[in-house]
């Protein structure tokens, strides 16, 4: 018995686990690209925008499927202009877009051949907005990711039901694996018909944490179709086998302000954190609680200081436009990035851990010290990994500094500060 166990465990030690995921070279390169990009636009857009009450409206108002199906005929985004959206993304200094191909309401915002519960078959608009957006992204050099919901409040085979979507009037029956086959089919469509895709951002696993989601099969399908496509899953756990990045929702990595992040740990994969401009993901016409441009720049900078990308959300209106409160802020962030982008793009977390006063980022021999909340003129830092040869602000103005065997002192007069974020560039020997 004992020998058997030993034999088995030594065998297991030498044999790689059957399911072990080895990312392709193209995937590893894409992870570097992803980390270098640092800033993307999240778009929550679907037929729910018609009601102007967020993307959870079907669940929150207990709308049965039959009633909810009255929304697509009212969804006619005649003012949607892919070129305008992508130009806004570029003006914001963003490098990628992650858009809802399907949210929890199950509605496909693309032309699926596997269901008629999609934008082409059910709306008067009849056009595949993801195709239009994909073509424009490829034209303007922006990467496109799809947010795809595992959870489905509309599909009859999403059964047994999970924590949510229990008031949709669906019959109490369904074939779980038929649902998974359908979902894999849609994923196949998304990775086949839209050119090169940046990756898939899954969400909704948490609705049924003990279900057999057959993730290995879905992940393999994606990596077989497009090896460079990055997979992330908003399950709020350490990444599962086959995933390529780890995401955090409404918290910096390791932050625990959101209840669902209370056990969140930070793993070794590239990181991303997502946040809203007001309080809502999908369009909410009553939500006026906008974060300021300064708060949003701080979020971006703090994310970079935590080695994470920032995926900033907008919920477009049902007519296809992005409201001015969003676009203005995006353009202002872009303005800050045009002057200070060197301290964000292509950087990794810096040598000094994130602090209340700010964060550090670094690229090669340069360390960027971001002064976000420094009330004093002088900042003391621990010893850096090299001797400083130059210290300056982004406008070239020299910064006074002192180095001893205890550490580094920087003097940055209040008069020369940028109200959004003052960046001191330290060149190290
Ligand atoms: C999810 C979505 O439900 C939400 O609509 C949005 O798309 C956001 C980006 O991601 O948010 C969650 C995720 C997990 C829980 C709740 C909301 N949860 O575990 O209760």
């Amino acid at each position: 018995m004992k020998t058997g166990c030993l034999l088995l465990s030594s065998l297991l030690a030498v044999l790689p686990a059957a399911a072990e995921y080895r990312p392709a070279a193209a995937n590893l390169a894409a992870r570097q690209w992803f980390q270098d990009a640092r800033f993307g636009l999240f778009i929550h857009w679907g037929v729910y925008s018609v009601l102007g009450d967020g993307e959870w409206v079907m669940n929150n108002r207990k709308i049965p499927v039959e009633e909810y199906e009255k929304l697509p005929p009212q969804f006619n985004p005649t003012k949607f202009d892919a070129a305008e959206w992508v130009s806004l993304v570029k003006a914001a200094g963003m490098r990628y877009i992650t858009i809802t191909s399907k949210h929890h309401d199950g509605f496909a915002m693309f032309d699926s051949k596997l269901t008629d519960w999609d934008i082409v078959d059910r709306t008067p608009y009849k056009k595949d907005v993801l195709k239009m957006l994909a073509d424009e992204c490829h034209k303007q050099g922006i990467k496109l990711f799809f947010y795809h919901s595992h959870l489905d409040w509309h599909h009859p085979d999403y059964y047994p039901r999970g924590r949510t979507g229990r008031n949709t009037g669906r019959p109490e029956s369904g074939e779980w694996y038929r649902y998974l086959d359908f979902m894999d089919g849609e994923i196949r469509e998304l990775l086949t018909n839209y050119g090169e895709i940046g990756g898939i951002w899954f969400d909704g696993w948490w609705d049924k944490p003990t279900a057999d989601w057959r993730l290995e099969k879905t992940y393999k399908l994606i990596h077989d179709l497009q090896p460079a496509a990055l997979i992330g899953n908003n399950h709020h756990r350490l990444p599962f086998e086959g995933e390529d990045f780890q995401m955090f929702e409404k918290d910096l990595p390791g932050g625990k302000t959101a209840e669902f992040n209370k056990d969140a740990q930070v793993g070794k994969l590239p990181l991303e954190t997502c946040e809203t401009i007001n309080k809502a993901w999908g369009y909410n016409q009553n939500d006026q609680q906008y974060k300021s441009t300064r708060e949003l720049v701080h979020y971006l900078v703090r994310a970079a200081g935590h080695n994470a990308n920032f995926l900033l959300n907008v919920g477009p209106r049902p007519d296809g436009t992005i409201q001015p409160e969003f676009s203005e802020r995006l353009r202002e962030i872009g303005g800050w990035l045009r002057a200070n982008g060197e301290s964000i793009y292509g950087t990794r977390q810096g040598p000094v851990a994130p602090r209340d006063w700010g964060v550090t980022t670094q690229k090669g021999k340069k360390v960027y010290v971001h002064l976000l909340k420094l009330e004093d003129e002088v900042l003391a830092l621990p010893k850096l990994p090299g001797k400083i040869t130059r210290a300056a602000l982004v406008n070239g103005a020299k910064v006074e500094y002192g180095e001893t065997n205890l550490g580094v002192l920087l003097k940055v007069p209040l008069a020369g500060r940028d109200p959004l974020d003052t960046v001191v560039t330290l060149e190290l020997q």
Side-chain angles (χ1 to χ4, degrees):
M1 173 73 189
K2 207 176 166 201
T3 346
C5 274
L6 265 176
L7 191 66
L8 187 65
S9 56
S10 46
L11 257 178
L12 284 175
V14 290
L15 293 175
E20 196 189 333
Y21 166 53
R22 286 160 186 264
N27 187 282
L28 294 174
R31 293 181 188 186
Q32 292 300 325
W33 177 90
F34 182 69
Q35 288 180 288
D36 289 347
R38 278 294 177 246
F39 193 27
L41 183 69
F42 209 177
I43 304 179
H44 276 73
W45 201 35
V47 293
Y48 42 78
S49 69
V50 168
L51 296 177
D53 194 13
E55 77 289 355
W56 271 67
V57 62
M58 182 181 186
N59 185 76
N60 294 350
R61 290 194 197 164
K62 301 187 168 57
I63 304 176
V65 161
E66 206 182 283
E67 277 300 306
Y68 198 84
E69 289 191 350
K70 294 177 182 163
L71 291 180
Q74 302 171 56
F75 184 77
N76 194 14
T78 50
K79 294 189 180 153
F80 169 69
D81 181 343
E84 216 171 276
W85 282 19
V86 179
S87 300
L88 177 62
V89 161
K90 296 201 90 165
M94 292 162 157
R95 301 277 163 92
Y96 63 100
I97 294 176
T98 304
I99 188 170
T100 45
S101 43
K102 163 186 122 160
H103 204 268
H104 306 333
D105 64 0
F107 191 79
M109 289 295 280
F110 60 101
D111 184 16
S112 176
K113 299 296 177 220
L114 306 173
T115 176
D116 71 347
W117 187 231
D118 71 45
I119 189 165
V120 174
D121 293 317
R122 293 279 186 121
T123 73
Y125 191 60
K126 290 191 170 52
K127 284 187 253 182
D128 183 337
V129 291
L130 294 195
K131 181 78 178 105
M132 293 152 88
L133 194 61
D135 290 347
E136 191 60 36
C137 281
H138 292 134
K139 197 166 137 192
Q140 296 203 41
I142 291 293
K143 279 210 193 192
L144 185 63
F145 292 64
F146 294 130
Y147 166 115
H148 208 75
S149 176
H150 289 304
L151 161 60
D152 197 312
W153 295 329
H154 182 272
H155 201 292
D157 285 324
Y158 188 87
Y159 187 87
R161 314 265 183 261
R163 274 167 34 199
T164 66
R166 290 176 164 269
N167 302 291
T168 60
R170 287 175 288 184
E172 288 304 315
S173 62
E175 288 290 327
W176 177 244
Y177 291 102
R178 197 160 62 194
Y179 171 70
L180 294 184
D181 288 343
F182 163 76
M183 205 182 61
D184 285 346
E186 283 201 335
I187 293 289
R188 177 183 289 282
E189 290 182 319
L190 290 169
L191 287 152
T192 308
N193 301 333
Y194 299 86
E196 196 188 310
I197 292 308
I200 304 288
W201 206 106
F202 284 110
D203 191 20
W205 176 95
W206 42 264
D207 187 58
K208 290 175 66 164
T210 55
D212 172 18
W213 283 100
R214 250 177 33 190
L215 291 179
E216 271 172 39
K217 187 172 180 192
T218 306
Y219 290 178
K220 182 174 181 325
L221 171 73
I222 295 168
H223 286 140
D224 283 349
L225 288 169
Q226 295 205 26
L230 302 178
I231 298 173
N233 194 329
N234 193 27
H235 44 50
H236 304 152
R237 313 278 172 107
L238 279 172
F240 299 159
E241 186 77 12
E243 294 171 6
D244 302 304
F245 68 100
Q246 182 180 7
M247 56 184 73
F248 291 82
E249 181 183 340
K250 288 186 162 287
D251 256 322
L252 294 168
K256 298 181 192 305
T257 63
E259 170 64 17
F260 46 64
N261 288 333
K262 66 182 193 318
D263 302 321
Q265 285 174 280
V266 185
K268 292 192 167 65
L269 293 177
L271 306 171
E272 179 186 71
T273 173
C274 56
E275 189 43 293
T276 51
I277 294 183
N278 49 8
K279 300 261 172 181
W281 298 102
Y283 177 56
N284 185 330
Q285 60 192 6
N286 294 317
D287 183 350
Q288 313 296 330
Q289 297 184 68
Y290 305 107
K291 294 172 189 72
S292 65
T293 297
R294 182 166 188 272
E295 286 173 290
L296 297 171
V297 167
H298 281 207
Y299 210 96
L300 168 67
V301 170
R302 286 201 186 273
H306 281 79
N307 217 18
N309 287 12
F310 184 33
L311 185 63
L312 177 58
N313 182 76
V314 297
R317 294 185 285 208
D319 67 359
T321 58
I322 293 173
Q323 61 190 88
E325 294 86 349
F326 292 162
S327 53
E328 282 160 14
R329 284 166 175 78
L330 294 181
R331 286 182 205 285
E332 285 168 9
I333 300 170
W336 181 83
L337 274 167
R338 265 191 297 286
N340 298 275
E342 187 196 324
S343 68
I344 300 289
Y345 302 121
T347 64
R348 300 292 183 269
Q349 175 164 35
V352 183
R355 289 287 177 245
D356 196 47
W357 55 259
V359 298
T360 59
T361 54
Q362 71 178 359
K363 184 163 45 190
K365 295 267 179 206
K366 287 184 180 175
V367 172
Y368 303 96
V369 184
H370 297 263
L371 308 180
L372 299 171
K373 253 178 78 179
L374 183 70
E375 287 167 43
D376 302 309
E377 292 209 324
V378 173
L379 174 67
L381 298 175
K383 282 188 84 160
L384 295 175
K387 193 174 149 41
I388 299 173
T389 57
R390 184 171 181 269
L393 300 180
V394 286
N395 62 12
K398 290 272 162 22
V399 169
E400 268 185 75
Y401 66 93
E403 268 181 309
T404 73
N405 56 357
L406 295 179
V408 173
L409 290 178
L410 300 178
K411 185 175 177 190
V412 188
L414 297 175
R417 300 278 178 94
D418 178 332
L420 293 177
D421 169 21
T422 304
V423 183
V424 181
T425 305
L426 302 177
E427 291 179 27
L428 304 186
Q429 207 170 39

